[in-house]
């Protein structure tokens, strides 16, 4: 992938088929990726938001393989993908998903494009072995007051974005339903329950291909 001559670089499909591409890459430094999955992106809005938080903390050097795949799809070098480019990329990666569906999932800011960070978040959302450090960083973004747990109010603030506070998320789930699924049973989300939720959601997305995460 790092050859200077572009013509000698492997294609995205060849990368995906190579054994090394499926392995965990330096887990102590960065999370493993899940491009070997037959799906990309999370259907749960909370899962998407958490994966996006992790992606924002990673540089291109942290996950070079994913960055190289993104560059191979982004032929214009604009740093963002159109739906047409995304469709081509899914085909190259052997992912049988509708491009419009994936665009709706990955395009978090709804600007009609998929940025590198959004693409990376989609890949990370199917990774069951994210490093504890990166999960901790995402957790701390939601834990606004730093008390070691995510309250219903903090969850509502983080998932509402820059707009007014919401009760129902874009995926149709309520804040209460997210708390019930990701919380510890006592009305808050602890780091342990947050990590367990992400691992469970990624596993469901990866292994139950016909069902939502």
């Amino acid at each position: 992938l790092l050859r200077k001559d572009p013509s000698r670089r492997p294609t995205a499909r060849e990368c995906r088929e190579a054994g090394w591409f499926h392995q965990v890459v330096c887990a102590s430094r960065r999370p493993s990726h899940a491009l070997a999955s037959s799906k990309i992106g999370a259907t749960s809005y909370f899962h998407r938001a958490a994966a996006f938080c992790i992606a924002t903390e990673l540089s291109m050097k942290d996950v070079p393989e994913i960055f190289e795949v993104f560059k191979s799809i982004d032929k214009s070098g604009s740093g963002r993908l159109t739906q047409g480019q995304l469709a081509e990329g899914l085909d190259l990666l052997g992912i049988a998903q509708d491009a419009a569906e994936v665009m709706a999932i990955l395009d978090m800011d709804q600007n009609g494009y998929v940025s590198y960070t959004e693409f990376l978040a989609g890949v990370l959302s199917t990774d069951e072995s994210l490093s504890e450090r990166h999960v901790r960083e995402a957790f701390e973004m939601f834990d606004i007051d730093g008390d070691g747990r995510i309250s219903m109010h903090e969850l509502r603030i983080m998932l509402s974005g820059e707009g007014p506070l919401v009760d129902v998320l874009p995926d149709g789930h309520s804040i209460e339903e997210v708390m019930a699924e990701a919380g510890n049973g006592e009305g808050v989300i602890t780091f342990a329950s947050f990590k367990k939720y992400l691992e469970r959601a990624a596993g469901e997305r990866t292994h139950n291909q016909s069902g939502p995460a």
Side-chain angles (χ1 to χ4, degrees):
L1 284 173
L2 299 180
R3 290 171 178 167
K4 294 182 179 179
D5 182 357
S7 66
R8 299 182 61 198
R9 293 176 188 165
T11 64
R13 182 183 291 278
E14 289 170 340
C15 288
R16 184 172 181 269
E17 292 174 349
W20 62 266
F21 196 69
H22 298 168
Q23 296 174 356
V24 174
V25 182
C26 299
S28 61
R29 182 182 172 209
R30 56 182 179 265
S32 62
H33 55 77
L35 278 174
S37 172
S38 60
K39 285 199 174 184
I40 186 172
T43 54
S44 162
Y45 189 77
F46 177 53
H47 189 190
R48 275 183 257 167
F52 188 83
C53 286
I54 295 173
T56 60
E57 294 298 307
L58 297 175
S59 72
M60 296 167 186
K61 294 180 180 179
D62 288 322
V63 277
E65 295 85 359
I66 298 176
F67 180 56
E68 288 294 334
V69 170
F70 181 85
K71 285 201 302 181
S72 73
I73 301 171
D74 177 26
K75 293 182 173 60
S76 64
S78 65
R80 59 186 189 178
L81 305 179
T82 63
Q83 185 171 311
Q85 290 172 318
L86 185 60
E88 182 180 349
L90 293 174
D91 182 61
L92 284 172
L93 294 168
I95 298 176
Q97 253 178 301
D98 179 70
E101 173 198 347
V102 178
M103 174 66 76
I105 291 173
L106 300 187
D107 184 14
M108 292 290 288
D109 59 8
Q110 298 295 296
N111 69 347
Y113 298 94
V114 173
S115 67
Y116 170 68
T117 302
E118 290 170 332
F119 180 78
L120 177 57
V123 174
L124 295 177
S125 67
T126 59
D127 193 337
E128 299 174 66
S129 54
L130 292 169
S131 75
E132 183 162 327
R133 178 170 68 85
H134 291 109
V135 174
R136 174 73 68 179
E137 288 171 349
F139 177 82
E140 290 175 352
M141 289 187 187
F142 280 89
D143 179 19
I144 299 172
D145 63 9
D147 67 351
R149 56 188 185 177
I150 302 169
S151 68
M152 187 80 76
H153 182 60
E154 289 171 324
L155 195 59
R156 181 173 283 107
I157 290 174
M158 288 298 294
L159 295 180
S160 295
E162 297 180 357
L165 297 184
V166 299
D167 290 311
V168 179
L169 301 172
D171 62 1
H173 290 92
S174 67
I175 299 294
E176 288 74 15
E177 287 174 325
V178 172
M179 179 60 76
E181 186 175 3
N184 65 349
E186 299 179 1
V188 295
I189 299 174
T190 63
F191 174 71
S193 64
F194 182 76
K195 187 171 186 292
K196 183 177 180 180
Y197 167 80
L198 292 182
E199 292 171 348
R200 183 176 68 250
E204 290 173 355
R205 187 64 174 161
T206 301
H207 302 303
N208 301 329
Q209 301 300 341
S210 61

